[in-house]
Amino acid sequence: LGSNKVAAPGVTIDADGNATFSVVHQYTEYRDFTPSLKVTGGFGGIGVDDLQLRLCGDQADFPTFPNLDLVGCAVENTDTIVSITLSVAGTIAPDMQFRLFLDLNGKGKNSPPDGKTDEFLKYKDGVSTGLKSLIVTELDDGKSVKFEFDLSELKWKGSYFNWYAETQDGVAGQQSTGHADLMPDSGTFNYITQ
């Protein structure tokens, strides 16, 4: 708050007195970062927090199977639609499957993600499964697919979700056969809806 107890431009204050604001910073290096946020209150109180920012992508780590090697991603949303784009080092082949795992909720109503998959979306050779609203498009670059789905179908009220992706080339009718790559290699990505 300013000296006159009015919120500064770009600051929103809720009924409990919590302030929300955005800071935009463009990083010029292509790597992960751990920035620190320091907030100083009007009465001299100081709060410091670190946030780990991770690139949406993965090292090329599957050189013998570049068509399966997940190396890039992008996530964006509108008020209702989420788009997640996955890219491989090689090209999209008809025998490969893209899988997207979404962790949206915990056990309680509107609780945060709990580490368990709530939605499982799949795409292979023009066929997608998982949600009625799901549309998957192979992009013109020949190495990317875009998953788009409507958040309202999930009846989800959260502000962020966790996700990870997997590719696999398989043999029809033989589960867990073939080669697979995960992105990220361990853990999940966290996306805060805009």
Side-chain angles (χ1 to χ4, degrees), residues 57-100:
D58 193 33
Q59 296 283 337
D61 55 2
F62 218 32
T64 53
F65 299 97
N67 291 352
L68 296 173
D69 194 359
L70 287 163
V71 294
C73 56
V75 186
E76 57 189 347
N77 70 281
T78 64
D79 288 343
T80 58
I81 303 296
V82 170
S83 300
I84 300 177
T85 302
L86 307 174
S87 300
V88 293
T91 58
I92 298 169
D95 65 336
M96 65 187 292
Q97 184 178 88
F98 287 87
R99 299 172 182 172
L100 192 56

Side-chain angles (χ1 to χ4, degrees), residues 13-65:
I13 301 174
D14 68 16
D16 295 326
N18 298 311
T20 305
F21 58 93
S22 296
V23 176
V24 177
H25 178 78
Q26 184 171 348
Y27 292 90
T28 58
E29 296 178 51
Y30 192 73
R31 63 178 179 88
D32 295 346
F33 288 89
T34 305
S36 292
L37 174 66
K38 180 179 178 182
V39 178
T40 305
F43 296 108
I46 297 175
V48 178
D49 198 5
D50 291 332
L51 175 68
Q52 196 170 33
L53 299 179
R54 200 169 168 183
L55 290 173
C56 193
D58 193 33
Q59 296 283 337
D61 55 2
F62 218 32
T64 53
F65 299 97

